[in-house]
């Protein structure tokens, strides 16, 4: 009973910390310590959990991959690849609707926190051409970026989910694709409803746009191709992507000065310790949850009937994502509780897929979501009015998640 109380206390600490904007890695570590104290064998639980967090092969791979991804994003920003990518996209997609759809997604592929602010000015300009309201522009900028994360394998919370559970990418791909198409359609409906149909961007010179686009996106293509296509170790694939980002930049010849700048300003300071620390803290908390036997105590009190599993894999992840405004936190809190309960179940991977989809739905519409609030602030929009539009694509995502859950259970 004491361990179950410790788990409740730990989750409460994380939720309170996120609400007060305390670093989630710190709050997760604090929650882990509190939970271990309730377990009655604090030192042993902490020792085992620390060792597993930093020495277990899967977790080492996870932390290294996350660190390298943040270096890749920083290097592409410093080199000007992101600017070139945005400029070439606007030139290639003559329609403002095409630009509004593509640009947030391209920015999202870097998985840089708050990067929706980067695409907001371009979405704002194109949206005004179409006569989109401020709230329509906000929904388009946030949702056209984040809905790709249902199937994007370089997304840090997805890497966390995969490394903790071992779920194959192909299990997530089919339902994820269906959800992406349906929720994108709903986003396009609310974003472009009542706007001008035929407006074209005016570009004086689109020459060289395609080569610039290809060279800008090449580091990401290299990572995806090497990791998914060739099966190369994920951290090694990202490392090669960093090398490509350092060497190839559109519109700039290779020189020692350029190379030095990208290494000095991009690679060396590139690790985002905020993200790495957040993931490490969540992994540490998850290991304490397992080693403290909190889940075993909880499992004895939870019915494994279909209705209970559906609540645990759909409603709870959505609520945690909504409350925290963090997809990583939602996965880090719920997955360690769910995994032992699914041990031996034939549909365990399918239920983990529900967790991924539902938690993303709660995260993307959360009032604590940095990209949503930042975009609204930049556009000087209204949160309540934006919410009224955003609930349609979110509702479509959740409805499909529920349908998949009813089919799989």
């Amino acid at each position: 009973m004491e361990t179950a109380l410790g788990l409740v206390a730990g989750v409460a600490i994380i939720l309170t910390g996120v609400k007060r904007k305390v670093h989630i890695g710190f709050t997760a570590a604090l929650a882990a310590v509190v939970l271990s104290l309730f377990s009655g064998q604090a030192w042993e639980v902490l020792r085992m959990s620390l060792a597993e967090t930093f020495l277990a092969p899967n977790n080492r791979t996870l932390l290294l991959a996350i660190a390298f991804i943040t270096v890749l994003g920083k290097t592409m920003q410093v080199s000007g690849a992101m600017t070139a990518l945005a400029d070439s996209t606007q030139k290639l997609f003559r329609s403002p609707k095409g630009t509004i759809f593509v640009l947030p997604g391209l920015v999202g592929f870097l998985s840089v926190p708050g990067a929706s602010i980067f695409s907001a000015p371009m979405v704002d300009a194109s949206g005004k051409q179409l006569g989109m309201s401020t709230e329509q522009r906000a929904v388009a900028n946030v949702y056209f970026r984040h809905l790709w994360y249902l199937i994007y394998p370089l997304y840090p919370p997805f890497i966390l989910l995969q490394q903790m559970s071992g779920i194959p990418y192909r299990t997530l791909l089919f339902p994820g694709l269906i959800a992406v198409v349906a929720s994108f359609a709903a986003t396009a409906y609310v974003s472009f409803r009542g706007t001008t149909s035929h407006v074209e961007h005016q570009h004086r010179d689109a020459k060289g746009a395609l080569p610039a686009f290809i060279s800008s996106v090449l580091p990401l293509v290299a990572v995806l191709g090497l990791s998914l296509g060739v099966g190369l170790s994920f951290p090694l694939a990202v490392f090669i992507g960093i090398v490509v980002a350092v060497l190839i930049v559109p519109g700039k010849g290779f020189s020692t000065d350029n190379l030095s700048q990208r290494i000095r300003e991009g690679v060396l300071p590139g690790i985002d310790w905020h993200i790495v620390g957040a993931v490490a803290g969540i992994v540490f908390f998850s290991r304490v949850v397992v080693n403290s036997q909190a889940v075993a105590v909880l499992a004895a009190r939870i019915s494994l009937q279909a209705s209970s599993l559906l609540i645990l894999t759909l409603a709870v992840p959505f609520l945690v994502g909504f409350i925290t405004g963090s997809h990583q936190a939602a996965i880090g809190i719920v997955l360690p509780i769910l995994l032992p309960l699914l041990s031996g179940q034939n549909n365990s991977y399918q239920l983990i897929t529900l967790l991924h989809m539902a938690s993303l739905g709660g995260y993307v519409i959360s009032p604590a979501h940095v990209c949503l609030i930042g975009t609204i602030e930049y556009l000087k929009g209204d949160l309540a009015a934006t919410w009224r539009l955003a609930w349609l694509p979110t509702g479509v995502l959740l409805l499909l998640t529920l349908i998949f859950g009813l089919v799989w259970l």
Side-chain angles (χ1 to χ4, degrees), residues 82-83 85-87 90 96 99-100 103 107 117-128 141 201 378:
M82 282 305 303
T83 302
L85 185 60
D87 182 63
Q90 285 187 311
T99 299
I100 290 171
L103 266 178
V107 172
I117 308 304
F118 181 83
S119 59
M122 291 164 280
V123 170
D124 187 32
S126 298
K128 286 178 178 177
N141 189 52
H201 279 310
Y378 176 85

Side-chain angles (χ1 to χ4, degrees), residues 13-284:
I13 288 171
I14 294 176
L15 296 180
T16 302
V18 170
K19 183 178 180 180
R20 296 181 179 277
K21 303 188 185 305
V22 180
H23 186 260
I24 190 171
F26 174 78
T27 55
L30 178 61
V33 172
V34 170
L35 173 55
S36 69
L37 293 175
F38 277 86
S39 71
Q41 44 184 348
W43 171 247
E44 183 63 17
V45 169
L46 290 174
R47 184 189 64 78
M48 291 174 56
S49 302
L50 276 171
E52 291 169 0
T53 298
F54 296 104
L55 300 180
N58 282 351
N59 292 334
R60 284 206 314 266
T61 299
L62 168 66
L63 295 175
L64 190 60
I66 296 295
F68 280 175
I69 287 173
T70 61
V71 172
L72 176 62
K74 179 68 173 179
T75 303
M76 290 183 68
Q77 287 178 326
V78 169
S79 69
M82 282 305 303
T83 302
L85 185 60
D87 182 63
S88 60
T89 301
Q90 285 187 311
K91 291 178 178 179
L92 288 171
F93 292 89
R94 298 287 185 170
S95 165
K97 288 184 179 180
T99 299
I100 290 171
F101 174 75
V102 172
L103 266 178
L106 291 175
V107 172
F109 286 164
L110 283 179
S111 302
V112 178
S116 287
I117 308 304
F118 181 83
S119 59
M122 291 164 280
V123 170
D124 187 32
S126 298
K128 286 178 178 177
Q129 285 186 301
L130 292 167
M132 294 169 65
S133 69
T134 302
E135 289 69 34
Q136 285 177 308
R137 281 173 266 153
V139 170
N141 189 52
V142 173
Y143 277 71
F144 283 142
R145 176 197 178 189
H146 289 83
L147 292 176
W148 284 114
Y149 290 160
L150 287 164
I151 58 173
Y152 185 49
L154 299 187
Y155 180 44
F158 172 75
I159 300 171
L160 176 67
L161 179 86
Q162 194 171 41
Q163 292 293 330
M164 290 178 67
S165 67
I167 182 172
Y169 179 66
R170 62 180 179 274
T171 303
L172 287 157
L173 184 59
F174 175 71
L177 279 173
I178 294 176
V180 165
V181 171
S183 50
F184 268 165
T187 301
Y189 172 75
V190 299
S191 298
F192 299 135
R193 183 176 54 180
T195 61
T196 304
S197 300
H198 302 289
V199 179
E200 291 189 352
H201 279 310
Q202 298 299 321
H203 291 291
R204 290 177 295 179
D205 183 16
K207 184 179 179 181
L210 183 58
F213 176 85
I214 293 173
S215 57
S216 299
V217 81
L218 192 58
L220 301 177
V221 174
V223 175
L224 294 175
L226 290 172
S227 59
L228 297 180
V230 180
L232 197 65
S233 163
F234 190 70
L236 181 56
V238 180
F239 177 79
I240 293 174
I242 295 171
V243 174
V244 174
V246 169
L247 297 178
I248 301 177
V249 177
K252 294 183 180 180
F254 180 82
S255 70
T256 54
D257 289 341
N258 288 339
L259 181 64
S260 175
Q261 180 195 19
R262 294 166 207 165
I263 294 175
R264 185 177 65 254
E265 299 178 14
V267 176
L268 296 181
I271 296 179
D272 190 328
W273 293 107
H274 186 279
I275 297 178
V276 176
V279 173
I282 290 170
V283 172
F284 178 49

Side-chain angles (χ1 to χ4, degrees), residues 307-327:
S307 57
S308 300
L309 285 176
L310 199 60
I311 291 172
L312 191 58
T313 56
L314 200 160
V316 174
F318 173 82
L319 288 174
V320 176
F322 183 82
I323 292 170
T324 63
S326 169
H327 200 189

